[in-house]
C-alpha cells in the first residue's frame, strides 16, 4: 500500500514484483486496508501504470471505488460553494478547515477523500446557524462539543465555535487560545465558484492538523490518510512555517514525541523530504509502535451497535487500553482526564454513543 501511495504522491515507479504475484486474498486485504484508511483513490493512481500486470477484476473494483469517491468529493465542493454564496450574502466570514483545503495539496485534489465540511465563522456562529436554518431549512444540532452540526444535501456540516474540544482536556483550552490567535491573524483567500473563502494559514495548519491528529490518535486511532495529509502539507508549506515556534508549542503541550514520530513515518514510508522538518528526534521503537497501531489498532474490538451500557463499557475499556497514547499526547493525569471527559459527555448526552 505504501508503495502505491509513494507512486501516487511522488511519481515513484512501483517494482512490478511487488504486485504481480499477489494472491486473491492479498489483493482483498490491500483493498480492505485502503478503504479503511481512506486512500483508495491514491492506491488507484499508484497502480494505474501497472494495469497490464494486475488482475482485471481487482483494478476494476479499485477504479469503481475511486469513481464513487470522486463523485462524493464533487458533492462536497458544491456544498462549500453554496455555503460561501449564502454567507457572503449575509456578510458572514467563512473559513473552511481540514478536508477541502488539504486536498488542494494533492496532485489530484478529488482523490483526497473527505466526509464532513468543517467551517468557522470568526465569532459569528449564531448568525451562521440562523442563516443555515432559515435559508436552507436544515436542523441545527447543538448537542456536540466545540461545533454545531447540520446535514445539507446529505453532507454533514460541522460549524465550529472552537477548533478543539475544550471540555475534556484542560490543555485543549490553552491550545485553543493559540489556534484562535492564529486564525484571527488571517489565512489564505481562495476562490471557489463565484465567491471567496478563507483557508487556514500554514502556521495555523502546522498546529491544528497535528493537534487534531494527536487528539484522534489518543482517543481512538487515525488513518493513513492523516499521514498523507501531513506529508503533502509539509512539502507545500514548510518554507512558510516558523518551525522553531511550532516545535516549541508541540513540546509545551507534550506532543513533540508524537509529532516527531509522525514526520519520521512520513519520511520513511511516504517519501517526505527529511530536510523540510528540522530538528526531529528519531525513536525507532516508538515510530514502529505508532505505525503498527495506525495500520492495525492494538485495541481493535468492534464498537457495539447498540445498548448504552455496552457502548459505555466498550469506550471505558478502549480509553484505558489507549492510556499509553494519552501519556504520549498529553501532560495531564489519565484518571482525572477520564473523569473530566465523562462529565463532558454528561453535558452533551448524545456524544456518549458517538
Amino acid at each position: 500500500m505504501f508503495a502505491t501511495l509513494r507512486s501516487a504522491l511522488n511519481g515513484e515507479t512501483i517494482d512490478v514484483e511487488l504486485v504481480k504475484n499477489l494472491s486473491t486474498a492479498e489483493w482483498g486485504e490491500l483493498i480492505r486496508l485502503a478503504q479503511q484508511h481512506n486512500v483508495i483513490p491514491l492506491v488507484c493512481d499508484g497502480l494505474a501504470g501497472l494495469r497490464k500486470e494486475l488482475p482485471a477484476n481487482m483494478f476494476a473494483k479499485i477504479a469503481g471505488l475511486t469513481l464513487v469517491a470522486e463523485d462524493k468529493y464533487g458533492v462536497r465542493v458544491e456544498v462549500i460553494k453554496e455555503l460561501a454564496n449564502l454567507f457572503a450574502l449575509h456578510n458572514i466570514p467563512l473559513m473552511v478547515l481540514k478536508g477541502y483545503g488539504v486536498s488542494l495539496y494533492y496532485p489530484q485534489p478529488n482523490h483526497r477523500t473527505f466526509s464532513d465540511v468543517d467551517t468557522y465563522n470568526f465569532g459569528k456562529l449564531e448568525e451562521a446557524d440562523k442563516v443555515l436554518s432559515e435559508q436552507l431549512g436544515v436542523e441545527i444540532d447543538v448537542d456536540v462539543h466545540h461545533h454545531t452540526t447540520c446535514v445539507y444535501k446529505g453532507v454533514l456540516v460541522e460549524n465550529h465555535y472552537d477548533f478543539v474540544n475544550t471540555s475534556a482536556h484542560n490543555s485543549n483550552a490553552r491550545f485553543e487560545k493559540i489556534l484562535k490567535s492564529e486564525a484571527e491573524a488571517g489565512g489564505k483567500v481562495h476562490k471557489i465558484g463565484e465567491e471567496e473563502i478563507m483557508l487556514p494559514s500554514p502556521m495555523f495548519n502546522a498546529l491544528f492538523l497535528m493537534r487534531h491528529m494527536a487528539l484522534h490518535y489518543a482517543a481512538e486511532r487515525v488513518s493513513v490518510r492523516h499521514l498523507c495529509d501531513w506529508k503533502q502539507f509539509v512539502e507545500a508549506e514548510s518554507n512558510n512555517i516558523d518551525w522553531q515556534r511550532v516545535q516549541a508549542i508541540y513540546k509545551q503541550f507534550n506532543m513533540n514525541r508524537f509529532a516527531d514520530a509522525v514526520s519520521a513515518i512520513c519520511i520513511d514510508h511516504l517519501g517526505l523530504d527529511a530536510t523540510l522538518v528540522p530538528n526531529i528526534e528519531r525513536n525507532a521503537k516508538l515510530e514502529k509502535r505508532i505505525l503498527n497501531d495506525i495500520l492495525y489498532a492494538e485495541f481493535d474490538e468492534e464498537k457495539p451497535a447498540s445498548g448504552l451500557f455496552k457502548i459505555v463499557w466498550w469506550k471505558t475499556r478502549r480509553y484505558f487500553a489507549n492510556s499509553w497514547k494519552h501519556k504520549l499526547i498529553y501532560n495531564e493525569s489519565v484518571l482525572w482526564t477520564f473523569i473530566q471527559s465523562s462529565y463532558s459527555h454528561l453535558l452533551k448526552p448524545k456524544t456518549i454513543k458517538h
Side-chain angles (χ1 to χ4, degrees), residues 79-80 82-84 86-87 90 92 94 117 119 121 124-141 148-152 156-160:
V79 166
I80 295 172
E82 291 192 39
L83 294 179
L86 182 62
F87 289 151
H90 293 83
I92 298 173
L94 173 63
V117 172
T119 60
N121 301 115
K124 292 191 174 185
L125 174 85
E126 291 185 7
E127 293 177 46
D129 282 348
K130 184 178 180 181
V131 167
L132 290 172
S133 178
E134 293 179 352
Q135 300 297 315
L136 301 182
V138 297
E139 181 179 349
I140 306 297
D141 185 351
T148 60
T149 64
C150 67
V151 177
Y152 179 59
L156 181 66
V157 178
E158 297 184 348
N159 205 7
H160 290 250

Side-chain angles (χ1 to χ4, degrees), residues 242-254 256:
D242 180 350
W243 283 109
Q244 185 173 4
R245 178 168 178 260
V246 166
Q247 290 173 330
I249 292 173
Y250 290 167
K251 192 166 187 177
Q252 176 188 346
F253 285 87
N254 194 48
N256 53 301

